Amino acid sequence: MQHEHIIGAKQFNREHLEELFEIAREMERIVESGGSNRYQNKVMTTLFFEPSTRTRLSFESAMSRLGGKVIGTENAAMFSSTIKGETLEDTIRVVSAYSDVIVMRHTEIGAAQRAAKVATVPIINAGDGAGEHPTQALLDLYTIQKEIGRIDDIHIVMIGDLAYGRTVHSLSYLLSNFKNIKISFTAPENVQIPAYVKNFLDENGVSYVEESDLTKVVPTADVLYQTRIQKERFSSVEDYKKASGQYIIDQKVLDSMKEKSIIMHPLPRAGEIAEEVDDDPRAAYFRQAQNGLYIRMALLEQCFK
Ligand code: CP
């Protein structure tokens, strides 16, 4: 499959996902054997209007390991001509002429779609505000496949900031491609999963429950998908305080998990997974972050193929 742009998770079907995962496995072998120079004539621009460690650096590493060149700005709001009043559309029109692909993170929902309308090269959405983060969800699914050995027939518990958590939205959409999925949404009262995500799951026959008591859903979970309460998304400190600190994965939670289950987190974490959990083999979040490299190499491969 060749994507013109990667904007949202709904554009992927099961066949596309299996093809992408096959390429990601090939990318693991390429990294192990020292990389490739197959895209030495290609340039990738990273345009980040919000902070990032994993997404930007794993894309940049992915491009480097395929022999390509990287240009970009990590604080595009300050260090691009956006600060002089340039529109997103004009920035994208211009940067398209310098690049073969643009990886963009923006503060606004729908920004990637806007960029795609005027770009002459593929746009990859690296997160658009509280909207979507499709490449994170792709690496999340790849991690579940690797760690659990399947994606069908899983019970996944999504915890934390489900309202603004764009990775949760994208992952919910992707899971609709698989059979017999059960999702439990466990969130503080003021950051519940949005109705539009639930509507999508209803329309696509995905079974879900909203359960505020984590202890009720942990013992049958194959995956605990913890997320950070994103302070930067709240309009007031009071609202943030209401949501924070309610669900923490610690030794007590670990003790009630199945032996063959995993804990995931898109990261960064801010206290919602205790460090005492890190040495448990079920703590998959750092392996998950590493899988981001392989999935993003695979996405670039599909982009340039
Ligand atoms: N998971 C994720 O998007 O991390 P960064 O914000 O560090 O890119």
Side-chain angles (χ1 to χ4, degrees):
M1 183 194 58
Q2 194 167 356
H3 280 303
E4 180 63 8
H5 304 289
I6 299 169
I7 305 300
K10 289 179 193 164
Q11 69 192 81
F12 290 86
N13 63 30
R14 187 165 181 150
E15 192 191 336
H16 299 149
L17 293 168
E18 283 168 4
E19 192 184 322
L20 181 73
F21 294 170
E22 188 54 47
I23 300 170
R25 285 187 281 273
E26 184 201 330
M27 293 301 154
E28 293 204 30
R29 292 189 287 274
I30 286 175
V31 171
E32 208 155 287
S33 65
S36 157
N37 61 3
R38 64 180 71 176
Y39 296 123
Q40 59 186 336
N41 296 325
K42 300 286 187 190
V43 176
M44 178 183 81
T45 296
T46 50
L47 208 50
F48 276 60
F49 293 85
E50 273 189 351
S52 168
T53 297
R54 277 143 291 273
T55 310
R56 186 173 66 84
L57 295 180
S58 64
F59 261 116
E60 294 187 359
S61 178
M63 191 61 177
S64 300
R65 287 176 189 276
L66 291 169
K69 315 279 188 303
V70 178
I71 60 173
T73 170
E74 64 181 292
N75 185 350
M78 287 292 289
F79 300 140
S80 75
S81 287
T82 300
I83 198 148
K84 302 176 206 162
E86 186 167 61
T87 63
L88 177 64
E89 282 77 5
D90 278 0
T91 301
I92 295 297
R93 283 185 186 103
V94 171
V95 175
S96 288
Y98 306 153
S99 335
D100 299 291
V101 60
I102 298 171
V103 180
M104 186 182 84
R105 172 170 288 185
H106 203 277
T107 52
E108 289 171 24
I109 295 175
Q113 189 67 55
R114 275 174 57 202
K117 279 199 178 124
V118 295
T120 55
V121 297
I123 294 287
I124 299 180
N125 180 6
D128 58 334
E132 279 215 55
H133 193 348
T135 70
Q136 175 69 44
L138 291 168
L139 76 90
D140 292 341
L141 265 199
Y142 184 63
T143 300
I144 294 170
Q145 175 68 62
K146 271 176 79 173
E147 297 273 338
I148 306 283
R150 65 175 199 282
I151 303 173
D152 291 321
D153 305 306
I154 62 158
H155 174 203
I156 178 166
V157 182
M158 300 195 187
I159 310 157
D161 181 354
L162 308 186
Y164 306 117
R166 57 195 175 196
T167 72
V168 164
H169 306 162
S170 294
L171 183 56
S172 298
Y173 300 149
L174 284 189
L175 283 167
S176 70
N177 289 292
F178 295 86
K179 293 183 197 138
N180 196 25
I181 298 294
K182 181 179 173 190
I183 308 178
S184 297
F185 293 117
T186 299
E189 195 55 46
N190 59 344
V191 283
Q192 298 278 319
I193 192 79
Y196 59 84
V197 176
K198 290 192 283 183
N199 291 342
F200 177 87
L201 296 176
D202 287 335
E203 283 159 17
N204 288 275
V206 180
S207 168
Y208 65 85
V209 294
E210 291 175 273
E211 175 55 67
S212 60
D213 185 350
L214 191 59
T215 64
K216 286 190 181 159
V217 286
V218 166
T220 59
D222 300 293
V223 179
L224 294 190
Y225 190 94
Q226 175 68 299
T227 64
R228 178 175 65 95
I229 304 296
Q230 302 172 89
K231 194 174 186 177
E232 66 276 21
R233 304 266 182 240
F234 287 83
S235 52
S236 75
V237 178
E238 289 70 36
D239 283 347
Y240 165 70
K241 281 186 180 159
K242 266 187 224 158
S244 68
Q246 292 192 32
Y247 298 107
I248 293 173
I249 298 183
D250 55 13
Q251 187 61 47
K252 199 162 162 236
V253 175
L254 260 184
D255 291 344
S256 64
M257 286 176 66
K258 292 200 288 195
E259 203 177 309
K260 190 163 171 41
S261 60
I262 53 170
I263 300 165
M264 297 175 65
H265 192 309
L267 302 176
R269 64 176 158 182
E272 62 279 353
I273 299 180
E275 287 188 11
E276 65 192 13
V277 172
D278 293 357
D279 291 333
D280 190 282
R282 290 168 290 184
Y285 29 93
F286 294 119
R287 298 191 292 274
Q288 178 187 356
Q290 185 173 353
N291 289 332
L293 172 65
Y294 311 128
I295 281 291
R296 287 166 176 138
M297 287 174 77
L299 289 168
L300 292 173
E301 172 77 8
Q302 286 191 320
C303 204
F304 297 141
K305 205 162 54 174

